[in-house]
Amino acid sequence: MKWTPSLVEERLAEAASVLKRLPEPRRQGYFNVWPEILHSFADKVGQEPKPMRVIPSPAAISRMEETLSWTVGLDPIDGKIVWLRAYGERWKTICWTVGLQRSAAHEHWLYALCVIAWRLNRRKVPRLRSRRYVIEMVKGACEDPASHPN
């Protein structure tokens, strides 16, 4: 499988979704001795329904665990932007959080996706090159030459 920045983005979004759906951690040794309250129909009228929590599959959890290690070695700001974006945060919120303008935050995010894709394809990321050069290099390498009639 050849990794592209868009595939990396999809996988990170899936991992964030799985993390949101995991059950809450519980402390060991604590329990509740109160009986469960059974509500009648009249009690439930006007209440908001509880959101349905779908537990992720074991395969999805395994992919999520694999994906968690992808941001190790990235610049901390890049890693933060990648995970905030994977969780679906708006760019405005991301910019406030990391203290960058929209275009700079987007370039950090795109660079991080390209670095992850490059590493997953078992290639060495050039250290002494600009972010823009690495982004263009990865985009050029990920394009399928058969799709271009030239």
Side-chain angles (χ1 to χ4, degrees):
M1 177 178 184
K2 190 169 186 177
W3 288 95
T4 63
S6 60
L7 288 174
V8 170
E9 179 185 6
E10 289 172 15
R11 189 74 172 275
L12 287 165
E14 179 195 20
S17 170
V18 168
L19 281 170
K20 286 179 190 175
R21 293 183 294 155
L22 287 175
E24 297 285 329
R26 295 187 181 190
R27 301 195 107 198
Q28 294 291 330
Y30 291 95
F31 57 92
N32 188 0
V33 294
W34 286 86
E36 187 175 336
I37 299 173
L38 298 175
H39 296 283
S40 68
F41 178 76
D43 293 336
K44 293 181 181 182
V45 172
Q47 290 184 0
E48 292 291 322
K50 287 186 179 178
M52 232 173 115
R53 178 173 238 147
V54 179
I55 304 293
S57 70
I61 293 173
S62 296
R63 287 191 303 273
M64 179 264 311
E65 288 173 342
E66 176 189 351
T67 306
L68 289 176
S69 66
W70 289 357
T71 56
V72 173
L74 290 178
D75 186 55
I77 290 177
D78 294 349
K80 188 172 215 167
I81 292 170
V82 163
W83 280 113
L84 286 170
R85 195 68 191 140
Y87 274 100
E89 287 291 332
R90 296 178 50 216
W91 280 110
K92 191 173 198 175
T93 308
I94 293 170
C95 293
W96 287 341
T97 304
V98 297
L100 294 173
Q101 290 182 342
R102 166 74 166 78
S103 58
H106 186 267
E107 187 167 309
H108 278 262
W109 173 72
L110 195 54
Y111 172 74
L113 293 180
C114 289
V115 166
I116 293 169
W118 206 244
R119 287 180 188 164
L120 290 173
N121 289 329
R122 301 191 193 287
R123 311 256 335 243
K124 188 170 174 125
V125 180
R127 290 280 174 205
L128 301 176
R129 295 295 189 149
S130 68
R131 290 182 189 276
R132 181 59 35 204
Y133 176 82
V134 172
I135 292 169
E136 294 302 322
M137 184 178 67
V138 171
K139 281 185 176 180
C142 291
E143 286 181 356
D144 185 17
S147 66
H148 298 294
N150 297 351

